[in-house]
């Protein structure tokens, strides 16, 4: 799993409780990325999204690697 600098900045800005929830969900995402996520259509920021409450993890899959691009609130992530 690769976390981009932009995603790290987004995660650092989040509340500690939200960061903990996201950290608990990441192993599930790694175990079955395409089964738990949804495809994004006409969105240039990434190919897939994974929902954790009101927050979205936007990521791409490159072979066996998952590249996390953004972790933001749902009202801000698609802008």
């Amino acid at each position: 799993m690769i976390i981009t600098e932009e995603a790290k900045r987004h995660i650092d800005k989040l509340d500690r409780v939200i960061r903990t929830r996201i950290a608990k969900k990441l192993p599930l995402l790694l175990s079955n990325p395409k089964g738990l996520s949804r495809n994004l259509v006409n969105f240039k920021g990434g190919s897939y999204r994974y929902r954790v409450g009101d927050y979205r993890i936007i990521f791409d899959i490159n072979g066996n690697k998952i590249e996390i691009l953004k972790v933001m609130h749902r009202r801000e992530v698609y802008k």
Side-chain angles (χ1 to χ4, degrees):
M1 176 173 60
I2 301 169
I3 301 176
T4 63
E5 290 298 321
E6 182 180 9
K8 287 179 186 177
R9 283 194 309 269
H10 294 156
I11 292 169
D12 289 341
K13 291 180 184 178
L14 297 176
D15 186 49
R16 182 174 44 117
V17 175
I18 301 300
R19 283 195 310 250
T20 304
R21 287 181 67 194
I22 290 171
K24 287 181 181 179
K25 295 289 184 171
L26 283 179
L28 291 173
L29 177 63
L30 290 174
S31 67
N32 189 8
K34 288 189 179 180
L36 296 173
S37 62
R38 301 257 175 140
N39 290 346
L40 291 172
V41 180
N42 295 330
F43 182 68
K44 295 179 182 177
S47 300
Y48 299 94
R49 74 171 169 86
Y50 182 61
R51 184 176 68 90
V52 180
D54 286 339
Y55 289 82
R56 303 295 184 261
I57 300 172
I58 306 297
F59 65 97
D60 282 333
I61 299 174
N62 298 322
N64 292 335
K65 298 199 182 228
I66 296 175
E67 183 178 3
I68 297 177
L69 304 171
K70 294 182 182 183
V71 179
M72 298 176 75
H73 194 274
R74 64 185 176 91
R75 71 174 166 239
E76 299 169 353
V77 74
Y78 301 114
K79 293 181 181 181

